[in-house]
Amino acid sequence: MRSRSLTLRTALLFALLAAVVVSVAGVYLYMSMQANMVARSDTGLIGRVDRYRSLLQETLRLDDMRARPQLFENMLGNEQDILVFRQPGQAPLVNVNPGGQALPDLAPAPLGQDLTVGAVRGRESTLGVPIRWVAAMTATADGTALEVLAGHVMLGETRMLRQYREQIALAVLAAFLSIAVLGYAALRRGLRPLRTMAAQAAGITPGNLDRRLSTQDTPHELREVTASFNDMLDRLADGYQRLAQFSADLAHEIRTPIGALLGNCQVALCQRRSPEEYEGVLAASIEELERIARLVENILFLARADNAQSALNYASLDLSAEFGRIAEYFEGLAEERGIRLASRAHGRVQADPILFRRALGNLVANAVRYADAGSVVTLSAQEGPDAVMVHVENVGPFIDQERLHKLFDRFYRADVSRSADSEASGLGLSIVRAIMALHGGSATAECIGAAGDGASGRVRFTLAYPRTPAGMASASSGA
């Protein structure tokens, strides 16, 4: 479907509103003008009848009227107006009726009663224009009673009203066209900052994500939109940078085992070897393949966690039992480095058992890997008002604040020298953060100690599990 111009639609809407306003104003003025013309016509008609009544009573007799009927015709200002003098129940004595209009049957105002606007009646003429009628009783100078019937044919008023209607129609049309044209031009000028924003946004590509929309000379109404768009670009740039770094790190991580596999196979194929040597090559290849499999599994888990595709099976876990199980599992690895595992915990936590053990296991494995030889790795728990805190502490190389907040990034290693020869993939802490995000909690790290060459610090990782996870709350409310 073809999109319509917002500028054109808005301009037409304003033009339509202007036309409606002008039309309403014109109709109001027209009705007022029409009512005023009728009132003026009625007043003039009453004044004319009053003059005739006075003239007859003071100067004219019945014989004078019969002798000079043309006198009254000459006194009419409009050749289409009507004037009739007649004795009650008899034929008209004076009948000035150029248009031959049918005379209405009106009750005349009694002699001596003043005429008012309420005595005037309206009829439609054969010419298609209104006629205003009024009738009254009067008497001649010799005392003869006469009925005066006067009518005003509103030819001039009707002509003027028709011209006024035409002017109103022209004014409405002119208002519509002028507002449409001027409104379109004004809106295009007013929307120029939007076109500027669109042009700036079109110039932003993956190669220049550092560019931002300019807020200089931006209207106040668009500054919030511009700021929100720039914030979105900041998030996109950060995500794009992380994705690029992740892709580079992933290629580097996969290249190492693949290179080892290729090297082992090429060396094995250089010459004939004994079955025992081939078995050794296959065993080494299996180790590298297992490393790749673990890497792929971890990446797949992070991808599912990022898209919230992992369903959690909450259970009430005994912290003391869980800590004991993890300590027993890593006891052999810790003894190899002369590290002792200590746990002190009580209470329970609401969490997915498998994911809880995986997150805690990753923290303990990280602590054992980087702790100073002969030190103690401590597992503890602390109950807060809103969450249960699980702590894993170890004494190891000091980590400054600049590197501390990167520990949960994918493939990041704070101490590359210690992890170069280990099986660490750099995804363990990223998995911990993803697990905590699924639980609606958080994972943080802090390091306390003096910085310096060879200095050690106490590194503490904290997992905050909500007392009432969001998943359990929604499930209970649905039940």
Side-chain angles (χ1 to χ4, degrees):
M1 182 177 179
R2 186 177 179 182
S3 61
R4 299 178 180 177
S5 170
L6 177 61
T7 304
L8 180 60
R9 284 188 296 174
T10 307
L12 291 178
L13 179 60
F14 276 117
L16 180 61
L17 293 176
V20 171
V21 172
V22 173
S23 299
V24 172
V27 169
Y28 173 76
L29 293 176
Y30 176 83
M31 299 298 292
S32 300
M33 185 176 181
Q34 185 181 36
N36 184 52
M37 285 184 174
V38 171
R40 291 181 61 184
S41 174
D42 292 349
T43 303
L45 186 61
I46 292 173
R48 179 182 298 174
V49 172
D50 286 339
R51 288 195 300 272
Y52 290 148
R53 295 172 80 181
S54 299
L55 179 63
L56 291 176
Q57 292 175 4
E58 294 175 0
T59 61
L60 294 178
R61 294 176 298 175
L62 186 60
D63 293 337
D64 296 332
M65 295 178 60
R66 289 173 178 172
R68 294 182 295 175
Q70 191 68 25
L71 173 65
F72 298 97
E73 185 176 353
N74 294 334
M75 294 175 63
L76 292 178
N78 189 325
E79 62 180 10
Q80 294 295 330
D81 282 355
I82 302 165
L83 179 62
V84 176
F85 292 94
R86 62 187 176 185
Q87 290 179 302
Q90 298 183 14
L93 182 63
V94 175
N95 187 5
V96 181
N97 190 355
Q101 303 295 331
L103 301 179
D105 186 14
L106 296 181
L111 182 64
Q113 179 180 332
D114 293 336
L115 290 175
T116 62
V117 176
V120 181
R121 296 292 182 266
R123 297 289 190 274
E124 191 75 15
S125 71
T126 57
L127 301 176
V129 297
I131 301 180
R132 306 298 292 177
W133 295 94
V134 66
M137 293 300 298
T138 185
T140 61
D142 56 4
T144 304
L146 290 177
E147 178 186 351
V148 182
L149 177 63
H152 174 64
V153 183
M154 301 181 66
L155 287 174
E157 293 86 347
T158 302
R159 188 181 302 110
M160 186 178 298
L161 289 174
R162 183 173 61 251
Q163 294 175 353
Y164 189 69
R165 286 197 302 269
E166 294 174 355
Q167 292 175 357
I168 291 176
L170 291 176
V172 171
L173 181 61
F176 180 82
L177 294 178
S178 60
I179 295 298
V181 174
L182 296 177
Y184 183 81
L187 284 172
R188 277 192 60 84
R189 181 177 181 84
L191 294 177
R192 185 182 300 171
L194 281 178
R195 294 194 294 273
T196 302
M197 290 176 57
Q200 294 176 356
I204 299 176
T205 62
N208 58 357
L209 285 177
D210 57 331
R211 293 180 59 182
R212 296 294 179 267
L213 299 183
S214 175
T215 57
Q216 186 177 4
D217 298 332
T218 301
H220 178 74
E221 293 80 3
L222 295 179
R223 288 182 182 176
E224 185 175 354
V225 177
T226 304
S228 299
F229 192 85
N230 287 336
D231 292 341
M232 182 189 68
L233 289 177
D234 291 337
R235 295 190 295 271
L236 288 176
D238 181 68
Y240 189 82
Q241 183 179 4
R242 289 174 179 270
L243 180 61
Q245 184 64 38
F246 174 75
S247 301
D249 294 339
L250 179 60
H252 176 75
E253 292 294 331
I254 294 179
R255 183 178 61 182
T256 300
I258 290 179
L261 285 172
L262 289 174
N264 291 338
C265 294
Q266 290 172 352
V267 171
L269 294 175
C270 286
Q271 58 183 1
R272 291 184 175 275
R273 300 183 183 276
S274 64
E276 291 78 9
E277 290 176 325
Y278 284 121
E279 290 179 357
V281 172
L282 291 177
S285 299
I286 289 176
E287 292 181 0
E288 296 298 332
L289 289 173
E290 289 177 347
R291 180 179 177 185
I292 295 176
R294 288 193 300 270
L295 180 62
V296 172
E297 181 184 357
N298 290 336
I299 294 174
L300 182 60
F301 175 84
L302 289 173
R304 290 175 176 173
D306 288 343
N307 292 289
Q309 295 179 355
S310 300
L312 303 185
N313 298 317
Y314 284 97
S316 179
L317 304 179
D318 181 39
L319 290 174
S320 179
E322 294 297 331
F323 283 10
R325 181 183 289 108
I326 294 295
E328 182 180 356
Y329 180 82
F330 286 97
E331 184 177 2
L333 180 62
E335 288 180 352
E336 292 180 2
R337 301 195 65 244
I339 296 174
R340 184 170 61 88
L341 295 176
S343 64
R344 55 178 184 272
H346 63 277
R348 309 184 72 84
V349 65
Q350 296 290 340
D352 184 289
I354 297 177
L355 296 183
F356 176 83
R357 292 161 191 161
R358 185 170 187 177
L360 186 59
N362 285 357
L363 290 183
V364 173
N366 181 80
V368 171
R369 183 178 299 116
Y370 295 103
D372 293 341
S375 62
V376 178
V377 174
T378 304
L379 286 71
S380 61
Q382 177 185 358
E383 294 189 5
D386 300 322
V388 177
M389 308 294 183
V390 176
H391 305 291
V392 177
E393 298 184 26
N394 70 277
V395 177
F398 179 81
I399 305 175
D400 55 36
Q401 290 294 329
E402 183 179 356
R403 293 183 299 160
L404 197 62
H405 74 278
K406 297 180 181 179
L407 292 179
F408 294 97
D409 292 347
R410 299 174 184 181
F411 297 114
Y412 181 78
R413 297 178 177 87
D415 191 346
V416 181
S417 62
R418 291 201 181 194
S419 58
D421 298 330
S422 68
E423 297 181 354
S425 62
L427 295 176
L429 296 182
S430 299
I431 292 175
V432 171
R433 182 174 62 180
I435 290 174
M436 295 310 300
L438 290 174
H439 283 81
S442 62
T444 57
E446 58 180 335
C447 183
I448 304 173
D453 296 337
S456 295
R458 179 169 293 276
V459 182
R460 170 189 281 188
F461 289 90
T462 301
L463 306 181
Y465 285 90
R467 284 190 171 275
T468 305
M472 290 188 63
S474 60
S476 60
S477 61

Coordinates of all heavy atoms in Angstrom, one line a residue, residues 31 44 46 69 76 92 120 131 159 167 199 219 254 278 289 330 355 361 363 370 388 402 408 419 436 477:
M31 N -27.1 34.1 8.8 CA -28.3 34.0 9.5 C -28.6 35.3 10.3 O -29.8 35.8 10.3 CB -28.3 32.8 10.5 CG -28.1 31.5 9.9 SD -29.5 31.0 8.8 CE -30.8 30.9 9.9
G44 N -39.7 48.9 8.6 CA -40.1 49.8 7.5 C -41.5 49.7 7.1 O -42.2 50.7 6.8
I46 N -44.1 48.6 8.9 CA -45.0 49.1 9.9 C -45.0 50.6 9.9 O -46.0 51.3 10.0 CB -44.5 48.6 11.3 CG1 -44.8 47.1 11.4 CG2 -45.2 49.4 12.4 CD1 -44.2 46.5 12.7
P69 N -56.2 57.6 -7.0 CA -55.5 56.4 -6.6 C -54.0 56.3 -6.9 O -53.3 55.6 -6.3 CB -56.3 55.3 -7.3 CG -56.9 56.0 -8.5 CD -57.1 57.4 -8.1
L76 N -45.1 54.5 -3.1 CA -44.3 53.3 -2.8 C -42.9 53.4 -3.3 O -42.7 53.8 -4.4 CB -45.0 52.1 -3.4 CG -46.4 51.7 -2.9 CD1 -47.0 50.5 -3.7 CD2 -46.3 51.4 -1.4
P92 N -61.5 46.2 -3.1 CA -60.5 47.2 -2.8 C -60.8 48.5 -3.5 O -61.2 48.6 -4.6 CB -59.2 46.6 -3.4 CG -59.5 45.1 -3.4 CD -60.9 45.0 -3.7
V120 N -46.6 41.4 11.9 CA -46.2 41.2 10.5 C -46.1 39.7 10.3 O -45.7 38.9 11.1 CB -44.8 41.8 10.3 CG1 -44.4 41.6 8.8 CG2 -44.8 43.3 10.6
I131 N -42.5 37.6 1.1 CA -43.3 38.8 1.2 C -43.6 39.0 2.6 O -44.1 38.0 3.3 CB -44.5 38.8 0.3 CG1 -44.2 38.6 -1.2 CG2 -45.3 40.1 0.5 CD1 -45.4 38.5 -2.1
R159 N -31.7 39.3 -3.2 CA -30.5 39.4 -4.1 C -29.2 39.6 -3.2 O -28.2 39.0 -3.5 CB -30.7 40.6 -5.0 CG -29.7 40.7 -6.1 CD -29.9 41.9 -7.0 NE -31.3 41.8 -7.6 CZ -32.3 42.6 -7.3 NH1 -32.1 43.6 -6.4 NH2 -33.4 42.5 -7.9
Q167 N -20.3 34.9 -1.8 CA -19.1 35.4 -1.1 C -18.6 34.4 0.0 O -17.4 34.2 0.1 CB -19.3 36.8 -0.6 CG -19.5 37.8 -1.6 CD -19.8 39.2 -1.0 OE1 -19.9 39.3 0.2 NE2 -20.0 40.2 -1.9
A199 N 18.5 12.1 7.4 CA 19.7 12.1 6.6 C 20.9 11.7 7.5 O 21.8 10.9 7.1 CB 20.0 13.4 6.0
P219 N 15.0 21.3 17.5 CA 13.9 21.9 18.3 C 13.7 21.2 19.6 O 14.1 20.0 19.8 CB 12.7 21.7 17.4 CG 13.3 21.5 16.0 CD 14.6 20.9 16.2
I254 N 38.6 -21.5 19.1 CA 38.4 -22.7 18.3 C 39.6 -23.0 17.4 O 40.0 -24.1 17.2 CB 37.2 -22.5 17.3 CG1 35.9 -22.4 18.2 CG2 37.0 -23.6 16.3 CD1 34.6 -22.2 17.4
Y278 N 49.3 -44.5 17.3 CA 48.0 -44.0 16.8 C 46.9 -43.8 17.9 O 46.1 -42.9 17.9 CB 47.5 -45.0 15.7 CG 48.2 -44.9 14.4 CD1 48.8 -45.9 13.9 CD2 48.2 -43.7 13.7 CE1 49.5 -45.9 12.6 CE2 48.8 -43.6 12.5 CZ 49.5 -44.7 12.0 OH 50.2 -44.6 10.8
L289 N 38.7 -32.5 20.9 CA 37.3 -32.5 20.5 C 36.4 -32.2 21.7 O 35.3 -31.6 21.5 CB 37.0 -33.8 19.8 CG 37.6 -34.0 18.4 CD1 37.3 -35.4 17.9 CD2 37.1 -32.9 17.4
F330 N 35.1 -30.6 44.2 CA 36.3 -29.9 43.8 C 37.4 -30.2 44.8 O 38.5 -29.6 44.7 CB 36.0 -28.4 43.8 CG 35.3 -28.0 42.5 CD1 33.9 -27.8 42.6 CD2 35.9 -27.8 41.3 CE1 33.2 -27.4 41.5 CE2 35.2 -27.4 40.2 CZ 33.8 -27.2 40.3
L355 N 21.0 -25.5 37.6 CA 21.6 -24.2 37.3 C 22.3 -23.6 38.5 O 23.4 -23.0 38.4 CB 20.6 -23.2 36.7 CG 19.9 -23.6 35.4 CD1 19.0 -22.5 34.9 CD2 21.0 -23.8 34.3
G361 N 29.4 -24.1 40.9 CA 30.6 -24.8 40.5 C 31.5 -24.0 39.7 O 32.7 -24.1 39.8
L363 N 32.0 -20.8 39.9 CA 32.6 -19.8 40.8 C 33.7 -20.5 41.6 O 34.8 -20.0 41.7 CB 31.6 -19.2 41.7 CG 30.7 -18.2 41.1 CD1 29.8 -17.5 42.2 CD2 31.4 -17.1 40.4
Y370 N 42.5 -19.6 40.3 CA 43.3 -18.4 40.4 C 43.7 -18.1 41.9 O 44.3 -17.1 42.1 CB 42.4 -17.2 39.9 CG 42.2 -17.3 38.4 CD1 41.0 -17.7 37.9 CD2 43.2 -17.0 37.5 CE1 40.7 -17.8 36.6 CE2 43.0 -17.1 36.1 CZ 41.7 -17.5 35.7 OH 41.5 -17.6 34.3
V388 N 18.8 -13.9 49.0 CA 19.8 -14.8 49.7 C 21.1 -14.6 49.0 O 21.2 -14.8 47.7 CB 19.3 -16.2 49.7 CG1 20.4 -17.1 50.3 CG2 18.0 -16.4 50.4
E402 N 39.1 -1.4 37.0 CA 39.0 -1.4 35.5 C 38.8 -2.8 34.9 O 38.1 -2.9 34.0 CB 40.2 -0.7 34.9 CG 40.2 -0.6 33.4 CD 41.4 0.1 32.8 OE1 42.3 0.5 33.6 OE2 41.5 0.2 31.6
F408 N 32.9 -10.7 34.0 CA 31.7 -11.5 33.5 C 31.5 -11.4 32.0 O 30.6 -12.0 31.4 CB 30.4 -11.0 34.2 CG 30.4 -11.3 35.7 CD1 30.8 -10.3 36.6 CD2 30.1 -12.6 36.1 CE1 30.8 -10.6 37.9 CE2 30.1 -12.8 37.5 CZ 30.4 -11.8 38.4
S419 N 45.7 -18.9 33.0 CA 44.6 -19.6 32.2 C 45.1 -20.1 30.9 O 44.4 -20.8 30.2 CB 43.4 -18.7 32.0 OG 43.8 -17.5 31.3
M436 N 22.1 -16.2 36.6 CA 21.5 -15.2 37.6 C 20.4 -14.4 36.9 O 19.4 -14.0 37.5 CB 22.6 -14.4 38.3 CG 23.5 -15.2 39.1 SD 22.7 -16.3 40.3 CE 21.8 -15.1 41.2
S477 N 0.4 -17.0 41.0 CA -0.8 -16.1 40.8 C -1.6 -16.7 39.7 O -2.9 -16.6 39.7 CB -0.3 -14.7 40.3 OG 0.5 -14.8 39.1

